[in-house]
C-alpha cells in the first residue's frame, strides 16, 4: 500500500468511508425513516407536477405568434421538464428540516436532496440547452461537478485543486484557477459571440443609418464586447491588469516595428467606415485595375466581387493612398454611351431623332437626370461617327448588359429607317511592270 500513488490511496480511503456510511445507513432506523421521507417527497412532487404541468404548458403556449412575448413564452416552455426535480428538491429540503429537528441528523435526506439537484442538472442539459457548445459544456463540466456535489466530495476535490500549483515560467496558477479560467473563458466568449451576433443583426436592420455607419457600429460593438469579456476573464483568473498593460505596451512596440502594414490597414479601415465614401454595395475601380462590387469590409481589407464571380481582396490602405473611382452610391444613376457609324449617303440630320426615340423605349433607360442624347462625334474615313449617351440606374458590369441591348436597339432602328451602317472600302491598284 505504501507504493500506491496518493490519488489511489485517497480513492481507496473514500470508498472505504462510503462503504461504512452506507452500512450505517442500512442499520439505522433514523436513516430508514429518512429514506421513507425521500420516497414520500418524490411521490408528492410527481403527483403535483402531473397536475400543474398541463396548466403551465397551456399558460405559456405562444401559438403561432411571432412577438417578443411569444418568444419569451417559447423560451420558458423549455424549463417545464425541471418542475419535477425542483419540486422534489423543495419537498426534500422541508423534510430535512423536520428530520433534523426530530432526530438531530439528516445525512440521508441531505444526500437525496443533492441527488434531486443532480437530476435537475441532467434534465437541464438534456432538454433545456439547445446550443451545441453549451450542451457540450454542460455534459462534461456541469454534470461531473453536480455528481461530485451529490456524493459530497466536491469541497475536498476543490481544496486539492487549490493546493495544486501549475507553473508557467514565472507565472504560478493553482489548478483550480486554471480550470475556473478555462470554463469562465469558454462561457464569456460564447456569450460575447452570441451578443455580437444579436447586436450586429439589430444594427444592420436600422435602415435609417448609412451603410458605413452601420458597419462602424458593428465593429465598435464587437470590440467593446470582446474587450470587456477579456478584462472580466483576467479578473476571474486573478491576473493583475498591470501585467496586461505591460503586454499592451509590448504589443504596441511590435506593431510599430514589424506590423506597420497591418496597423495602416486597420486605421484605413476605420477611416473608410467613418467617412463613408465607399461602402458595401458600391462598384469601384482602383488605380491598380481592380474593379468590382464591395461585398465585405473587414478591419484589414475590402472584398470586391467581379461580375464573373471572383473575389478580390484589396487592403484598406489602397482605398486611402490611391485614386478610387466609385461608380455607385447605393443605386445612384450612371451614364454610359454607345458609339455607332452611318454611311456618308445618309441624311445625318435624321439620325439623332431615330436613335434617341429607339433608346428611350428601353425599360431600363432613365429620363432623369437626362434622357438619351445622340451626338455627332466626327467624320471618319468611310463613315460618319455618332454616339448616344444614356442614363441607367445601375452598373453595366456584365450582370446588367445595358450596352448590348442599346446596341441592338440602334441596329434595329437604323435598319427599320433604311439607314446604312458602312464598312470600310479599299481600292487596291495592281501595277505590273513590263519588260525593259
Amino acid at each position: 500500500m505504501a507504493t500506491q500513488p496518493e490519488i489511489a490511496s485517497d480513492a481507496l480511503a473514500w470508498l472505504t468511508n462510503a462503504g461504512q456510511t452506507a452500512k450505517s445507513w442500512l442499520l439505522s432506523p433514523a436513516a430508514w425513516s429518512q429514506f421513507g421521507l425521500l420516497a414520500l417527497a418524490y411521490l408528492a412532487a410527481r403527483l403535483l407536477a402531473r397536475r400543474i404541468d398541463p396548466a403551465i404548458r397551456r399558460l405559456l403556449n405562444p401559438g403561432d405568434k411571432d412577438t417578443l412575448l411569444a418568444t419569451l413564452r417559447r423560451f420558458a416552455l423549455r424549463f417545464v421538464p425541471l418542475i419535477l426535480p425542483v419540486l422534489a428538491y423543495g419537498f426534500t429540503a422541508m423534510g430535512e428540516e423536520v428530520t433534523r429537528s426530530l432526530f438531530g441528523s439528516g445525512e440521508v435526506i441531505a444526500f437525496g436532496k443533492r441527488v434531486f439537484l443532480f437530476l435537475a442538472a441532467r434534465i437541464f442539459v438534456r432538454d433545456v440547452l439547445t446550443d451545441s457548445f453549451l450542451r457540450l459544456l454542460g455534459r462534461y463540466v456541469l454534470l461531473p461537478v453536480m455528481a461530485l456535489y451529490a456524493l459530497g466530495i466536491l469541497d475536498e476535490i476543490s481544496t486539492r485543486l487549490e493546493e495544486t500549483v501549475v507553473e508557467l515560467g514565472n507565472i504560478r496558477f493553482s489548478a483550480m484557477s486554471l480550470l475556473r479560467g478555462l470554463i469562465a473563458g469558454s462561457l464569456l466568449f460564447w456569450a460575447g459571440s452570441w451578443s455580437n451576433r444579436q447586436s450586429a443583426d439589430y444594427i444592420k436592420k436600422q435602415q435609417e443609418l448609412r451603410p458605413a455607419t452601420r458597419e462602424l457600429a458593428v465593429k465598435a460593438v464587437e470590440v467593446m464586447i470582446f474587450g470587456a469579456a477579456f478584462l472580466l476573464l483576467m479578473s476571474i483568473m486573478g491576473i493583475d491588469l498591470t501585467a496586461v498593460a505591460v503586454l499592451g505596451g509590448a504589443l504596441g512596440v511590435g506593431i510599430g516595428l514589424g506590423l506597420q502594414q497591418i496597423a495602416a490597414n486597420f486605421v484605413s479601415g476605420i477611416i473608410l467606415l467613418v467617412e463613408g465614401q465607399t461602402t458595401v454595395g458600391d462598384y469601384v475601380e482602383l488605380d491598380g485595375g481592380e474593379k468590382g462590387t464591395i461585398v465585405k469590409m473587414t478591419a484589414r481589407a475590402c472584398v470586391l466581387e467581379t461580375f464573373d464571380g471572383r473575389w478580390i481582396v484589396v487592403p484598406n490602405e489602397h482605398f486611402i493612398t490611391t485614386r478610387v473611382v466609385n461608380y455607385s452610391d447605393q443605386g445612384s444613376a450612371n451614364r454610359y454611351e454607345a458609339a455607332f457609324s452611318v454611311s456618308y449617303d445618309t441624311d445625318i440630320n435624321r439620325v439623332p431623332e431615330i436613335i434617341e426615340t429607339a433608346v428611350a423605349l428601353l425599360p431600363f433607360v432613365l429620363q432623369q437626370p437626362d434622357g438619351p442624347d445622340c451626338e455627332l462625334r466626327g467624320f471618319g474615313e468611310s463613315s460618319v461617327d455618332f454616339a448616344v449617351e444614356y442614363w441607367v440606374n445601375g452598373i453595366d458590369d456584365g450582370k446588367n448588359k445595358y450596352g448590348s441591348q442599346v446596341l441592338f436597339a440602334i441596329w434595329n432602328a437604323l435598319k427599320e429607317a433604311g439607314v446604312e451602317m458602312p464598312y470600310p472600302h479599299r481600292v487596291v491598284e495592281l501595277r505590273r511592270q513590263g519588260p525593259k
Side-chain angles (χ1 to χ4, degrees):
M1 297 291 292
T3 60
Q4 287 183 342
E6 183 179 358
I7 187 171
S9 302
D10 292 341
L12 185 61
W14 181 84
L15 289 174
T16 303
N17 292 333
Q20 293 175 354
T21 302
K23 184 177 179 180
S24 65
W25 285 355
L26 292 174
L27 299 177
S28 171
W32 278 103
S33 65
Q34 294 178 49
F35 280 122
L37 283 175
L38 281 175
L40 185 62
Y42 176 77
L43 290 175
R46 191 171 185 83
L47 291 174
L48 185 58
R50 188 176 297 175
R51 286 181 174 274
I52 67 175
D53 186 286
I56 293 177
R57 290 185 182 275
R58 286 195 302 269
L59 179 64
L60 296 177
N61 184 16
D64 297 330
K65 298 179 181 179
D66 196 19
T67 61
L68 177 61
L69 181 58
T71 302
L72 293 175
R73 285 182 172 182
R74 291 189 188 93
F75 179 73
L77 272 174
R78 301 214 305 254
F79 291 86
V80 172
L82 291 173
I83 291 176
L84 175 60
V86 169
L87 286 176
Y89 178 85
F91 289 152
T92 306
M94 291 188 291
E96 182 184 5
E97 292 296 326
V98 173
T99 303
R100 291 190 183 277
S101 62
L102 294 178
F103 300 102
S105 64
E107 289 79 7
V108 175
I109 202 166
F111 172 74
K113 185 175 68 172
R114 296 195 299 268
V115 169
F116 286 136
L117 198 59
F118 170 77
L119 294 176
R122 185 172 179 273
I123 294 174
F124 177 77
V125 172
R126 185 188 63 194
D127 298 332
V128 177
L129 296 180
T130 57
D131 183 83
S132 57
F133 173 77
L134 289 182
R135 183 171 289 180
L136 183 70
L137 204 62
R139 186 177 298 140
Y140 294 105
V141 176
L142 178 61
L143 291 184
V145 169
M146 295 307 298
L148 294 175
Y149 175 72
L151 294 173
I153 58 175
L154 181 61
D155 292 338
E156 182 180 350
I157 292 179
S158 299
T159 303
R160 289 295 183 91
L161 290 175
E162 288 285 358
E163 295 172 351
T164 304
V165 177
V166 178
E167 296 186 5
L168 298 174
N170 294 328
I171 303 176
R172 293 168 58 88
F173 292 102
S174 68
M176 176 59 76
S177 298
L178 196 57
L179 288 174
R180 191 186 299 120
L182 289 174
I183 297 170
S186 300
L187 286 173
L188 283 173
F189 282 96
W190 176 88
S193 299
W194 182 84
S195 302
N196 185 53
R197 289 194 301 270
Q198 298 300 316
S199 60
D201 291 342
Y202 175 77
I203 293 171
K204 290 177 180 179
K205 290 179 182 177
Q206 309 306 309
Q207 297 299 324
E208 65 274 10
L209 300 177
R210 292 188 302 115
T213 304
R214 293 199 296 266
E215 290 293 330
L216 181 62
V218 168
K219 296 299 179 185
V221 170
E222 182 178 1
V223 171
M224 287 190 294
I225 288 175
F226 285 103
F230 177 76
L231 293 177
L232 185 58
L233 178 60
M234 294 297 102
S235 177
I236 291 173
M237 293 186 66
I239 298 177
D240 190 358
L241 293 182
T242 56
V244 178
V246 173
L247 179 62
L251 183 61
V253 173
I255 290 176
L257 295 178
L259 304 176
Q260 296 181 12
Q261 290 300 113
I262 294 177
N265 286 321
F266 180 78
V267 174
S268 299
I270 294 176
I271 294 173
L272 287 175
L273 292 173
V274 171
E275 289 185 347
Q277 299 298 324
T278 54
T279 186
V280 174
D282 287 353
Y283 188 89
V284 297
E285 181 178 359
L286 280 73
D287 265 355
E290 304 92 346
K291 58 182 178 180
T293 303
I294 301 177
V295 295
K296 188 176 183 181
M297 300 179 71
T298 67
R300 188 190 67 84
C302 292
V303 180
L304 307 184
E305 184 178 14
T306 64
F307 70 89
D308 54 358
R310 291 181 296 177
W311 280 22
I312 304 174
V313 180
V314 182
N316 290 329
E317 186 182 10
H318 291 195
F319 286 85
I320 302 297
T321 58
T322 62
R323 185 178 65 93
V324 179
V325 180
N326 191 339
Y327 289 93
S328 62
D329 184 10
Q330 294 302 304
S332 62
N334 293 278
R335 190 184 71 173
Y336 293 95
E337 67 174 40
F340 64 96
S341 302
V342 299
S343 170
Y344 272 102
D345 295 332
T346 304
D347 181 5
I348 61 175
N349 295 295
R350 299 171 51 214
V351 172
E353 182 181 358
I354 294 171
I355 299 303
E356 289 174 2
T357 302
V359 174
L361 293 175
L362 295 172
F364 55 81
V365 174
L366 305 177
Q367 298 301 316
Q368 296 293 334
D370 194 9
D373 181 24
C374 184
E375 299 177 352
L376 176 64
R377 292 295 175 88
F379 302 97
E381 292 182 3
S382 56
S383 63
V384 182
D385 300 327
F386 285 87
V388 60
E389 297 175 346
Y390 58 95
W391 289 82
V392 295
N393 193 12
I395 305 296
D396 191 358
D397 58 353
K399 179 175 60 178
N400 302 315
K401 295 180 173 56
Y402 302 130
S404 175
Q405 297 182 60
V406 170
L407 290 175
F408 270 109
I410 293 172
W411 173 272
N412 294 331
L414 293 178
K415 285 295 182 182
E416 186 177 346
V419 176
E420 180 185 358
M421 299 185 71
Y423 54 88
H425 292 74
R426 296 288 184 267
V427 176
V428 179
E429 181 179 348
L430 297 177
R431 292 185 179 182
R432 179 178 295 177
Q433 187 174 6
K436 293 182 179 179

